């Protein structure tokens, strides 16, 4: 019987251990704080005004729908210029980014994510004045997106 | 099949909008978005193969750009918004490292 913890650890190591560039992931657990510092270039994040709409329980991590939005007037004087997703539990923690302008009218984007394992998904909104706002949402993934690797270990 | 339509790019834009209305664009394209972390049945690593960018132009101006990553699922779906101001073409392009690999144009009519 394989314990849940061993299962998730192995599936993650299986996913992460193959590329030299992410070799660190195989040797130690990723540090979400370091990943966040990397994603924000060290700027302080205000945890408000950003919404993540996403199921908190995903049966498989292969395709998890997400809608991210940030409060902003989206005018020339004040708009969100970048919305990005950070997935600290994936072998590549920096996820997709969306570049916006006042032409968008609203800072709201939907897509589908691949999640390697259970993790806290982070969404960051970079505003035109340099402010960074964000939100976090824990998502339980029953079967990670890199499940193939578990059986080839 | 045309080079730019072989990935079956699909773009949905409302046919008409009122001036100033914020409309949603929904896009879908057939692509494996292979992460480079998977192995095939023989145990060989499946090489990385991902679309790197999605760009939308409306009335000759870029209004949206997405930097895609392996964290986007296969057959990437991306939906976004823009403010309709004039009637014109809405073109969505998918790129791999600067080369356009799929493209689709729709038109929107703005009612005065």
């Amino acid at each position: 019987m394989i314990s849940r913890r061993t299962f998730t650890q192995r599936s993650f190591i299986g996913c992460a251990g193959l590329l030299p560039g992410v070799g660190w992931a195989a040797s130690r657990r990723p540090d979400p704080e370091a990943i966040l510092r990397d994603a924000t270039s060290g700027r302080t994040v205000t945890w408000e005004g950003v919404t993540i709409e996403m199921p908190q329980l995903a049966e498989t991590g292969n395709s998890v729908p997400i809608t991210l939005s940030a409060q902003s007037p989206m005018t020339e004087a004040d708009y969100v210029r970048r919305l990005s997703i950070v997935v600290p539990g994936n072998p590549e923690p920096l996820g997709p980014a969306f570049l916006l302008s006042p032409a968008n009218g609203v800072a709201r984007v939907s897509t589908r994510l691949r999640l390697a394992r259970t993790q806290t998904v982070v969404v960051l909104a970079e505003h035109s004045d340099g402010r960074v706002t964000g939100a976090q949402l824990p998502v339980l993934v029953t079967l990670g997106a890199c499940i193939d690797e578990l059986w080839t270990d | 099949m045309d080079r730019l339509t072989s990935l079956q790019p699909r773009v949905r834009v409302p046919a008409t909008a009122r001036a100033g209305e914020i409309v949603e664009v929904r896009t879908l394209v057939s692509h494996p978005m292979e992460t480079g972390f998977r192995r095939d049945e023989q145990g060989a690593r499946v090489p990385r193969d991902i679309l790197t960018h999605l760009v939308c132009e409306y009335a000759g101006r870029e209004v949206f750009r997405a930097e895609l990553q392996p964290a986007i699922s296969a057959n990437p779906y991306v939906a976004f918004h823009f403010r309709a101001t004039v009637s014109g073409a809405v073109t969505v392009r998918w790129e791999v490292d600067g080369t356009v690999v799929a493209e689709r144009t729709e038109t929107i009519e703005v009612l005065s």
Side-chain angles (χ1 to χ4, degrees):
Chain A
M1 182 71 188
I2 183 165
S3 77
R4 177 181 168 78
R5 176 162 295 179
T6 313
F7 180 88
T8 49
Q9 277 176 350
R10 280 191 195 163
S11 56
F12 179 61
I13 289 167
C15 287
L18 292 164
L19 280 190
V22 291
W24 53 266
S27 54
R28 58 186 170 88
R29 292 183 80 82
D31 173 4
E33 282 180 23
I35 292 166
L36 199 57
R37 270 199 305 277
D38 192 22
T40 58
S41 311
R43 277 173 294 180
T44 311
V45 181
T46 310
W47 299 105
E48 60 179 28
V50 173
T51 307
I52 306 176
E53 294 161 61
M54 190 177 193
Q56 286 197 263
L57 173 65
E59 245 175 66
T60 91
N62 283 324
S63 182
V64 189
I66 179 172
T67 296
L68 40 148
S69 52
Q71 282 175 14
S72 169
M74 294 303 274
T75 59
E76 290 293 337
D78 182 6
Y79 62 94
V80 172
R81 60 183 178 204
R82 192 170 191 268
L83 273 176
S84 62
I85 304 175
V86 183
V87 279
N90 275 22
E92 283 181 56
L94 299 185
F98 308 100
L99 307 188
L100 305 176
S101 69
N104 294 104
V106 60
R108 183 178 172 91
V109 176
S110 304
T111 188
R112 295 177 191 143
L113 288 185
R114 191 179 257 150
L115 298 177
R117 58 173 188 150
T118 293
Q119 56 185 288
T120 297
V121 172
V122 182
V123 168
L124 298 171
E126 195 182 308
H127 297 251
S128 51
D129 60 2
R131 248 176 341 122
V132 181
T133 57
Q136 312 189 50
L137 187 76
V139 179
L140 190 76
V141 179
T142 318
L143 205 61
C146 292
I147 193 66
D148 288 9
E149 283 303 319
L150 188 66
W151 311 117
T152 52
D153 272 350
Chain B
M1 194 181 282
D2 183 275
R3 183 180 64 90
L4 294 177
T5 58
S6 63
L7 301 182
Q8 294 178 275
R10 277 151 285 177
V11 173
R12 183 163 290 183
V13 182
T16 59
R18 297 183 311 276
E21 185 181 346
I22 295 169
V23 297
E24 187 183 37
V25 183
R26 290 189 282 166
T27 71
L28 190 66
V29 67
S30 299
H31 193 277
M33 295 297 277
E34 193 58 62
T35 60
F37 295 105
R38 242 164 34 88
R39 290 180 184 235
D40 63 18
E41 282 146 22
Q42 280 74 45
R45 192 158 65 82
V46 181
R48 183 181 174 112
D49 174 18
I50 68 162
L51 299 169
T52 58
H53 292 88
L54 179 157
V55 181
C56 177
E57 257 179 37
Y58 162 54
R61 278 184 55 193
E62 181 178 314
V63 292
F64 179 78
R65 175 176 287 262
E67 300 165 1
L68 306 178
Q69 297 288 350
I72 294 254
S73 58
N75 304 324
Y77 166 81
V78 178
F80 54 92
H81 300 77
F82 69 79
R83 195 182 291 278
T85 50
V86 293
S87 299
V90 178
T91 300
V92 177
R93 298 189 181 91
W94 288 262
E95 300 177 358
V96 176
D97 299 326
T99 304
V100 177
V101 295
E103 182 178 301
R104 174 104 194 150
T105 298
E106 296 289 331
T107 54
I108 184 166
E109 188 192 348
V110 172
L111 311 170
S112 50

